[in-house]
Amino acid sequence: QVQLVESGGGLVQPGGSLRLSCVASGSISNIIGMGWYRQTPGKEREWVASMTSGGASNTADSVKGRFTISGSVASKTVYLQMNNLEPGDTAVYYCHLLRRTRPFSQQTMDHWGTGTLVTVSS
């Protein structure tokens, strides 16, 4: 059974920084990538950043230059360094893992953590 555990959320003042961590455990293979999404009440879950098994990474335009994803999909651990946080970054942040159901299959499966709350407020 795949389990994703996030940590590092909390309350921070505008302009501050936080670092989120995600560790995946369980019998996991054929991982395509890992990443982060966020969600606020009444809104759809929004992609924030992701990293492929090959090491390529990307971040959403809304956080580019402020957020950085790091870690290693091979070690099933990713981090999200969030700098210069703004009140608009307040959300529940979810770790995400995408894998193929079988080697070379086009069929994929998503796995999600339970989320960690980030609150940016003075």
Side-chain angles (χ1 to χ4, degrees):
Q1 186 174 353
V2 177
Q3 186 175 18
L4 305 179
V5 178
E6 305 103 332
S7 61
L11 172 65
V12 64
Q13 292 187 342
S17 298
L18 281 176
R19 188 191 195 212
L20 305 183
S21 300
C22 173
V23 179
S25 63
S27 179
I28 314 171
S29 59
N30 307 310
I31 301 174
I32 297 171
M34 295 180 68
W36 294 92
Y37 286 69
R38 65 185 183 185
Q39 189 171 24
T40 55
K43 292 189 176 181
E44 290 190 359
R45 197 166 290 188
E46 172 192 24
W47 170 72
V48 176
S50 58
M51 174 179 286
T52 70
S53 58
S57 62
N58 203 357
T59 53
D61 288 343
S62 60
V63 302
K64 200 176 292 287
R66 299 188 298 120
F67 291 13
T68 303
I69 187 170
S70 63
S72 167
V73 173
S75 63
K76 296 178 284 186
T77 302
V78 290
Y79 306 97
L80 186 67
Q81 178 66 43
M82 305 185 294
N83 298 329
N84 194 21
L85 282 159
E86 303 168 353
D89 296 317
T90 296
V92 176
Y93 284 72
Y94 295 90
C95 183
H96 173 253
L97 183 150
L98 181 68
R99 66 177 181 89
R100 301 187 192 281
T101 55
R102 294 183 307 279
F104 311 110
S105 171
Q106 295 301 309
Q107 196 171 23
T108 60
M109 181 171 290
D110 297 90
H111 299 275
W112 296 94
T114 57
T116 184
L117 177 62
V118 172
T119 304
V120 184
S121 175
S122 55

